[in-house]
Amino acid sequence: GGMTKDQAMEAVSEETEKRGRQVLEVEVNGSVVTTTLAEVGYTFSAEEFLDEAMKVGRRGNLIENYKEVKEARKTGVSFGVNRRMDEKVLKKFVKKKCKKMCTSAQNAQVSMENGEFVYSESKEGITLNVAATVDNIQKAVSEAKDDISAIRVAATVEVEKPKISKETAERCKDKIGSFSTTFNAGNVNRSKNVANAARLISGSVLYPGETFSVHDAISPLTEENGYYAAASYNQGKVEDTLGGGVCQVSTTLYNAVLRAELEVVERSPHSMVVSYVEPSMDAAIAGDYKDFKFKNNTDVPIYIQGGTYSGTLYFNIYGEETRSEDRNVTFKSEVTDTIEPGADKITYDKTKPESYESVTQEAHTGYKAILWKVVDENGKESKTQVNSSTYAASPRYVTKGAKKEETKPEETKSPQVNEKSKKDSALQSKKAAQTERPQQKAQVTTQPAATQTPVVVPQDGEGDGVQ
């Protein structure tokens, strides 16, 4: 058209912008999602055909070029243009905007009102085939004429059937597992934690093939989520932490699941034994590294009911009872080894006197234990191992005083002189005075000298006396 290459590039750019403003309408599940071609990554590559266009009438000899220019003026020269959208941008649009118009299939719901089960109807859903819809849009844009105001495209959708119909949900009506434990209702904070965690779990529905996580159901263990600080195990010691006591909730649920004979996916013992169940019957919760998980390995929904009353925590599991009436399942704990706690761990407190002594934590005996599942059915008994557990021993923790007590010096008392001592002293003084006088010649006497009476010395607190 007599343009230079720069002029041709500008013309192509104007055409690209014009085409980018063209409207794109995608019909999805009875609704229409509207956008423009520019918003879905419309691109127009001009470099290749512009280079070819600039060669017309310039690539041969003088005669050849003249003929080519004359022919071009008469009939024109056409070049194919690659109109397309950036696939990443287009796919993001389909997933984010078009998918919203679809609806997921809804399983029949199971709930409990006033102790009675309530079942809702299931609903079909509409799912979007993203890859097919992207192809539909690209094809429509490439074939669209420049003079149309909007490009209309139908998305590819599919009907999604619900997995659980109302008829299937109604089969969840039998209590297939139950268990309860007791706790000290006087420990207010711990009791609140137990009740709160049980409340968060109660009412949960587990559809066939789904896995339930106690950690996910009761988290986060924060004040905002209804938890208080209470005693819990922490590296062999008993310390107050937010949510202390929730392990009793997971343990009680664990035992109900065992009796329902559902599939246990994950279970861990406590670091030390607990008081509310026998060894190997517990299931600890700790951070994100200890959790209790179980799977619904049945064909119908599982409903969990739980709560607390008068110092008792309970869980009931409902589903469809398919086991024979004469099947009896029990669980037995067997301790295989005992680990003594060892010597006391003593901490000295320099602010307390040496006479001070306080036991901050009693000793815990360690154990190794096995949990057995015993099934009695059709007159036959079978025994299988459920788990094995090791519980660490923990010594007694004692705090003793280390502060030296000040001692006062004893007062010196004046010696007491008794009457006998006074007489003896006077007698000795008299004899001494007589000795100092000139000695007289002794007279011979025919009378015998008087016999002197012996003195008895007191021994070990015995009193004075004579013999």
Side-chain angles (χ1 to χ4, degrees):
M3 295 181 180
T4 64
K5 185 175 181 179
D6 290 340
Q7 291 172 334
M9 283 288 290
E10 186 177 349
V12 168
S13 178
E14 290 178 359
E15 180 64 24
T16 303
E17 291 179 6
K18 178 183 175 182
R19 190 65 183 270
R21 292 191 294 269
Q22 198 166 14
V23 175
L24 173 65
E25 297 176 343
V26 184
E27 185 180 358
V28 187
N29 193 25
S31 300
V32 176
V33 181
T34 303
T35 185
T36 63
L37 294 187
E39 289 175 345
V40 291
Y42 175 78
T43 58
F44 189 113
S45 179
E47 283 293 333
E48 292 182 2
F49 77 79
L50 280 180
D51 288 340
E52 289 298 315
M54 296 307 295
K55 293 178 182 178
V56 174
R58 297 183 174 87
R59 53 193 157 196
N61 55 40
L62 185 62
I63 297 174
E64 290 173 341
N65 288 340
Y66 174 78
K67 289 181 178 180
E68 190 173 19
V69 170
K70 188 175 180 181
E71 184 66 25
R73 286 175 177 170
K74 182 179 179 181
T75 61
V77 180
S78 296
F79 298 93
V81 177
N82 184 17
R83 298 187 179 107
R84 64 183 183 87
M85 274 73 66
D86 185 310
E87 190 166 332
K88 289 184 179 180
V89 178
L90 178 56
K91 188 176 289 186
K92 184 177 179 180
F93 160 76
V94 172
K95 285 183 176 180
K96 189 174 181 180
K97 299 291 181 68
C98 299
K99 204 171 184 179
K100 288 182 178 180
M101 302 297 107
C102 294
T103 56
S104 299
Q106 293 184 11
N107 289 320
Q109 301 295 305
V110 181
S111 60
M112 184 175 282
E113 296 179 7
N114 301 321
E116 298 290 334
F117 278 112
V118 178
Y119 311 95
S120 69
E121 294 285 351
S122 61
K123 294 181 180 179
E124 292 183 342
I126 298 295
T127 59
L128 180 69
N129 188 322
V130 175
T133 301
V134 168
D135 289 341
N136 293 349
I137 294 172
Q138 287 181 328
K139 183 178 179 181
V141 170
S142 65
E143 295 176 353
K145 296 180 179 180
D146 296 341
D147 57 350
I148 60 173
S149 59
I151 303 172
R152 189 83 174 231
V153 183
T156 300
V157 295
E158 299 167 357
V159 176
E160 180 187 18
K161 295 287 185 182
K163 294 180 180 179
I164 303 299
S165 65
K166 185 178 180 181
E167 289 74 22
T168 302
E170 288 175 337
R171 290 161 58 188
C172 174
K173 63 182 187 306
D174 306 314
K175 185 188 293 185
I176 60 175
S178 182
F179 197 77
S180 64
T181 56
T182 59
F183 59 90
N184 179 12
N187 190 334
V188 178
N189 281 4
R190 189 179 186 280
S191 298
K192 289 179 179 178
N193 291 340
V194 169
N196 187 51
R199 176 187 62 82
L200 292 171
I201 292 174
S202 185
S204 298
V205 177
L206 197 61
Y207 290 97
E210 291 183 343
T211 297
F212 184 85
S213 163
V214 171
H215 173 272
D216 293 348
I218 68 174
S219 294
L221 301 183
T222 60
E223 292 181 355
E224 293 76 14
N225 202 27
Y227 292 104
Y228 298 81
S232 64
Y233 289 151
N234 183 17
Q235 297 182 349
K237 297 189 71 175
V238 179
E239 298 178 350
D240 280 354
T241 58
L242 278 173
V246 298
C247 285
Q248 184 166 353
V249 177
S250 61
T251 292
T252 307
L253 180 61
Y254 173 56
N255 283 271
V257 167
L258 288 178
R259 284 150 182 80
E261 297 188 81
L262 298 174
E263 181 184 342
V264 174
V265 176
E266 181 181 339
R267 171 263 171 192
S268 299
H270 286 76
S271 58
M272 297 185 291
V273 291
V274 295
S275 60
Y276 40 84
V277 290
E278 296 179 42
S280 266
M281 289 186 174
D282 60 324
I285 298 292
D288 56 0
Y289 60 93
K290 281 188 179 182
D291 192 5
F292 169 50
K293 297 178 181 179
F294 69 95
K295 184 178 181 180
N296 179 2
N297 56 342
T298 73
D299 298 327
V300 302
I302 293 296
Y303 182 88
I304 305 173
Q305 179 194 41
T308 60
Y309 65 91
S310 304
T312 298
L313 165 67
Y314 73 94
F315 278 107
N316 296 321
I317 297 180
Y318 292 89
E320 182 181 32
E321 184 59 82
T322 59
R323 297 167 292 187
S324 61
E325 292 183 359
D326 67 342
R327 182 181 177 86
N328 183 42
V329 180
T330 56
F331 295 88
K332 294 182 179 180
S333 170
E334 178 188 355
V335 174
T336 59
D337 193 13
T338 301
I339 307 166
E340 295 302 325
D344 292 350
K345 293 285 186 181
I346 301 174
T347 301
Y348 290 95
D349 188 345
K350 293 183 179 180
T351 66
K352 302 290 185 183
E354 289 181 323
S355 59
Y356 176 84
E357 181 174 309
S358 174
V359 179
T360 56
Q361 180 179 310
E362 294 294 344
H364 287 75
T365 302
Y367 299 98
K368 289 184 178 181
I370 294 174
L371 184 63
W372 297 97
K373 177 181 180 180
V374 181
V375 179
D376 188 353
E377 187 174 19
N378 298 326
K380 296 181 180 180
E381 184 178 279
S382 63
K383 184 178 179 182
T384 56
Q385 182 176 329
V386 177
N387 65 47
S388 61
S389 306
T390 299
Y391 304 92
S394 177
R396 192 174 69 146
Y397 286 80
V398 181
T399 299
K400 291 186 177 183
K403 183 179 181 182
K404 297 288 185 181
E405 298 184 37
E406 296 181 1
T407 57
K408 295 182 179 180
E410 294 184 3
E411 296 180 1
T412 303
K413 296 181 179 180
S414 300
Q416 296 182 356
V417 181
N418 55 31
E419 293 299 323
K420 184 175 181 299
S421 297
K422 288 181 180 180
K423 289 180 181 180
D424 291 342
S425 179
L427 181 60
Q428 290 177 1
S429 298
K430 185 176 179 180
K431 288 181 178 180
Q434 291 176 350
T435 304
E436 292 175 358
R437 295 174 186 176
Q439 294 291 329
Q440 297 181 354
K441 189 176 179 180
Q443 297 181 352
V444 178
T445 178
T446 58
Q447 296 180 354
T451 303
Q452 206 170 19
T453 304
V455 179
V456 179
V457 181
Q459 297 291 332
D460 296 330
E462 294 177 359
D464 293 350
V466 295
Q467 290 184 344

